[in-house]
């Protein structure tokens, strides 16, 4: 008895149509948000480095506001990092929940690849940073800074360079970033939580429990959830746990699977409403007040000579690329997964290089890791910016080399010959699709036959012309050589049938095709 065959899984293969639609919508918003982040970062650098504006930048960033009695009198920069980023992590929590219940992560076999790639993509930069600082005598406190990927910034780079990445590559980048965000959240919660206030932490858990019960009871209304979310966030901030964890926890509680009669799940609806706020306002404002690093010749030199900054730079540029590519290759090498047809390992390496763009979470971890050392904090910010720029340039070069191939793959994905709004690649097993295509092709064939008949009539000799006079042309030359009315085998046939193009019965039972039979199918008169 033959051994059962184990099905092979195609890595970076074509997405299902619902997943492809979701990815397209999500990436469209992330791309716009990434462009805004890019503009905000440039504005911050200009604001901080123009001498006439520098003092204003410092004054605005360090201006304090908020209720002191609640322990929430924070600087604008602090509000951006702990307050606005909670919105960003709330959306990340919804994305993660959706991937776990309705996306690629719901299947353990499918989840293995992005999880392993993300883990290796975080472990390798941390290892590069640790080695650089161990040999250079630097601080190991910043080991987590180069571990995070900024998906919005990475997609903004793709939008700027105009690379037509296939949807499977974009989806892999998005899933990788979601898993990356999960581990970044765990790093922040585990390694950067100090001096716990258990009363406030208990209050935050009670608030989350109320949030969960209201969701399960089907209670609706932003006026219920927004005040409750603010209370949970404030308690989480005062507990000593980073306040962004509250956003993640609430995002994970939303239901992201559709029930009978629902067009969209509650999680999808909330994400659709909140994602533009996160990508278009919260994260750009965070970038505006955290990317303003004073750039000078000495500061740039420090990035390449100081072990902490060099470790961050190498971690982003080298560690991310090697970690993600190596983890992906090992997973495919030792499982029954195979790379999708039309893609090459160079594409995976280019994507891994692009993941070296670390911005939002990297800057946040930098603030936490080097808290109290303003000079080193700014130098590490500069390293994050320079490392992200180098990774973006390298990825751009690698992706541009394969851009023509990407355009061809995207054209295949988008082809819709029956004009029903669904790409043809998703209907190859549908009888209705093939019937529609048969009807379309038959209609085209009839049009071409009409054109061929009209062309034949136009080229026929006038009725009063001599029968021996034929117009000069390749078809008539051939007829003259074969006797005017002979078949391909040299057997004669009536002139009326030869002129009309009707098929003729041969003595052996076969039927010779009429002139133009094959050509008409391709739209060419014989």
């Amino acid at each position: 008895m033959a051994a059962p065959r184990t099905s092979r899984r195609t890595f970076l293969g074509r997405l299902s149509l619902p997943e492809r639609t979701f990815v397209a919508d999500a990436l469209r918003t992330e791309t716009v948000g990434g462009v805004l982040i890019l503009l905000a970062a440039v504005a911050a650098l200009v604001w901080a480095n123009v001498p006439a504006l520098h003092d204003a930048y410092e004054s605005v960033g360090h201006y304090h506001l908020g209720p002191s009695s609640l322990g929430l009198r924070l600087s604008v920069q602090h509000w951006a990092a702990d307050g606005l980023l909670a919105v960003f992590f709330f959306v990340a929590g919804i994305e993660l929940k959706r991937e776990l219940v309705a996306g690629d992560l719901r299947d353990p076999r499918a989840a293995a690849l992005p999880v392993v790639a993300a883990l290796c993509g975080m472990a390798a930069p941390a290892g590069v940073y640790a080695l650089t600082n161990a040999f250079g005598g630097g601080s190991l406190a910043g080991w987590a800074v180069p571990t995070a990927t900024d998906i919005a910034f990475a997609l903004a780079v793709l939008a700027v360079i105009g690379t037509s990445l296939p949807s499977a590559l974009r989806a892999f980048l998005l899933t990788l970033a979601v898993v990356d965000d999960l581990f970044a959240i765990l790093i922040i919660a585990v390694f950067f939580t100090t001096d716990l206030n258990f009363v406030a932490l208990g209050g935050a858990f009670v608030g989350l429990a109320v949030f969960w019960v209201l969701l399960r009871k089907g209670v609706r209304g932003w006026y219920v959830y927004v005040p409750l979310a603010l209370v949970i966030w404030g308690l989480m901030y005062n507990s000593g746990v980073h306040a962004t964890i509250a956003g993640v926890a609430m995002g994970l509680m939303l239901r992201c699977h559709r029930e009978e009669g629902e067009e969209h799940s509650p999680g999808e609806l909330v994400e659709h409403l909140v994602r533009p706020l996160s990508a278009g306002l919260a994260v750009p404002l965070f970038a505006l007040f955290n990317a303003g690093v004073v750039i000078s010749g000495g500061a740039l030199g420090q990035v390449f000579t100081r072990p902490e900054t060099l470790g961050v730079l190498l971690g982003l540029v080298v560690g991310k690329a090697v970690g993600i590519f190596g983890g992906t290759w090992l997973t495919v090498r030792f499982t029954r997964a195979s790379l999708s047809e039309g893609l090459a390992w160079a594409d995976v390496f280019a994507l891994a290089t692009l993941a070296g763009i670390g911005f939002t979470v990297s800057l946040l971890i930098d603030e936490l890791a080097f808290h109290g050392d303003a000079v080193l904090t700014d130098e590490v910010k500069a390293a994050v910016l320079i490392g992200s720029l180098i990774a973006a340039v390298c990825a751009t070069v690698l992706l541009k080399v394969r851009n023509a191939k990407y355009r061809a793959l995207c054209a295949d994905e988008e082809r819709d010959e029956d004009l029903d709004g669904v790409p043809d690649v998703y209907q190859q097993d549908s009888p209705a699709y093939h019937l529609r295509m048969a009807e379309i092709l038959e209609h085209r064939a009839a049009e071409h036959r009409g054109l061929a008949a009209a062309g034949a009539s136009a080229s026929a000799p006038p009725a009063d012309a001599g029968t021996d006079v034929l117009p000069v042309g390749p078809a008539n030359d051939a007829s003259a050589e074969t006797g005017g009315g002979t078949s391909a085998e040299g057997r004669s046939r009536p002139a009326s049938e030869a002129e009309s193009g009707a098929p003729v019965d041969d003595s052996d039972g076969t039927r010779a095709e009429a002139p133009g039979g094959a050509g008409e199918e391709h739209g060419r008169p014989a």
Side-chain angles (χ1 to χ4, degrees):
M1 180 177 179
R5 296 180 62 185
T6 304
S7 60
R8 293 186 65 86
R9 177 177 179 82
T10 301
F11 164 53
L12 296 179
R14 189 172 67 244
L15 303 176
S16 65
L17 185 58
E19 184 73 6
R20 179 178 179 270
T21 303
F22 170 80
V23 168
D25 292 340
L27 294 184
R28 191 176 298 113
T29 305
E30 292 283 8
T31 301
V32 173
V35 173
L36 293 177
I37 296 172
L38 187 61
L39 295 175
V42 172
L45 290 171
V46 172
W47 194 359
N49 286 275
V50 173
L53 302 176
H54 175 76
D55 290 342
Y57 182 79
E58 291 291 326
S59 298
V60 173
H62 292 95
Y63 180 77
H64 283 67
L65 68 160
S68 301
S69 58
L70 298 178
L72 295 175
R73 187 165 184 80
L74 311 175
S75 67
V76 171
Q77 188 179 34
H78 207 164
W79 275 110
D82 283 3
L84 293 177
L85 278 194
V87 180
F88 167 79
F89 279 105
F90 175 69
V91 174
I94 299 176
E95 288 178 342
L96 178 61
K97 179 66 173 291
R98 186 199 167 277
E99 288 293 331
L100 289 171
V101 302
D104 284 345
L105 299 183
R106 73 185 185 277
D107 180 2
R109 293 182 304 168
L113 186 66
V115 169
V116 171
L119 279 173
C120 293
M122 299 182 83
V128 169
Y129 179 93
L131 287 174
T132 304
N133 283 270
F135 286 105
S139 171
L140 295 177
W143 64 271
V145 174
T147 59
T149 294
D150 193 303
I151 180 62
F153 223 143
L155 292 171
V157 171
L158 289 181
V160 170
I161 65 176
T163 300
S164 303
L165 276 180
S167 58
L169 278 173
R170 290 177 177 266
F172 179 66
L173 181 61
L174 181 62
T175 307
L176 189 72
V178 170
V179 178
D180 188 286
D181 285 342
L182 169 63
F183 289 116
I185 292 161
L186 294 176
I187 287 174
I188 292 171
V190 173
F191 295 99
F192 297 103
T193 296
T194 58
D195 301 327
L196 285 176
N197 182 333
F198 289 100
V199 175
L201 185 61
F205 278 119
V206 170
L208 288 171
V210 173
F211 190 88
W212 184 83
V213 170
L214 292 175
L215 288 173
R216 293 301 172 270
K217 293 292 185 181
V219 176
R220 296 177 180 273
W222 64 268
Y223 46 84
V224 175
Y225 291 102
V226 171
L228 179 58
L230 291 175
V231 171
I232 294 170
W233 175 86
L235 289 169
M236 189 69 76
Y237 175 82
N238 283 286
S239 72
V241 177
H242 200 270
T244 54
I245 303 301
V248 177
M250 288 184 280
L252 287 170
M253 289 182 180
L254 291 174
R255 177 169 60 82
C256 292
H257 65 275
R258 301 175 188 176
E259 294 183 347
E260 187 176 355
E262 287 184 337
E263 186 176 354
H264 301 287
S265 68
E268 290 174 321
L269 293 173
V270 173
E271 183 183 9
H272 179 73
L273 292 173
V274 180
R275 186 188 286 275
L277 176 64
S278 169
L281 181 65
V283 181
L285 283 177
F286 168 79
L288 181 64
F289 291 109
N290 284 272
V293 181
V294 177
I295 303 295
S296 65
L300 291 176
Q302 286 283 76
V303 169
F304 294 95
T305 57
R306 186 161 183 165
E308 292 89 351
T309 53
L310 183 61
V312 168
L313 188 148
L314 292 177
L316 289 172
V317 177
V318 179
K320 273 289 184 182
V322 172
I324 293 174
F325 179 82
T328 304
W329 186 85
L330 289 172
T331 304
V332 173
R333 173 66 177 81
F334 293 105
T335 64
R336 294 190 62 81
S338 60
L339 194 62
S340 178
E341 185 179 356
L343 296 177
W345 281 107
D347 303 318
V348 181
F349 185 76
L351 207 66
T353 304
L354 188 65
I357 299 176
F359 190 77
T360 306
V361 180
S362 292
L363 294 180
L364 175 61
I365 296 177
D366 171 36
E367 293 278 353
L368 299 173
F370 300 108
H371 181 69
D373 190 341
V375 174
L376 183 54
T377 297
D378 284 348
E379 290 177 350
V380 171
K381 285 182 181 179
V384 170
L385 295 174
I386 294 172
S388 299
L389 178 61
I390 294 173
V393 171
C394 292
T396 298
V397 173
L398 294 172
L399 291 169
K400 279 293 186 182
V401 171
R402 296 268 296 168
N403 207 32
K405 183 66 175 179
Y406 298 147
R407 283 197 296 269
L409 291 174
C410 286
D412 288 338
E413 287 184 0
E414 299 294 336
R415 186 175 293 110
D416 181 19
E417 292 190 359
D418 60 342
L419 303 177
D420 66 340
V422 179
D424 295 340
V425 293
Y426 293 99
Q427 303 186 83
Q428 296 303 310
D429 298 326
S430 169
Y433 161 75
H434 291 293
L435 289 174
R436 287 195 303 273
M437 287 303 303
E439 184 178 351
I440 291 170
L441 294 175
E442 287 168 358
H443 179 70
R444 291 178 185 172
E447 289 182 347
H448 285 298
R449 289 191 184 96
L451 293 173
S457 299
S459 61
D464 57 348
T467 56
D468 293 328
V469 179
L470 294 174
V472 178
N476 292 305
D477 290 345
S479 299
E481 291 174 5
T482 59
T486 59
S487 67
E489 292 81 11
R491 293 187 291 271
S492 63
R493 60 182 180 178
S496 60
E497 290 187 4
E499 292 171 1
S500 66
V504 183
D505 282 322
D506 290 328
S507 58
D508 59 359
T510 61
R511 298 174 68 85
E513 287 189 7
E520 288 162 1
E521 287 296 322
H522 295 82
R524 297 189 304 271

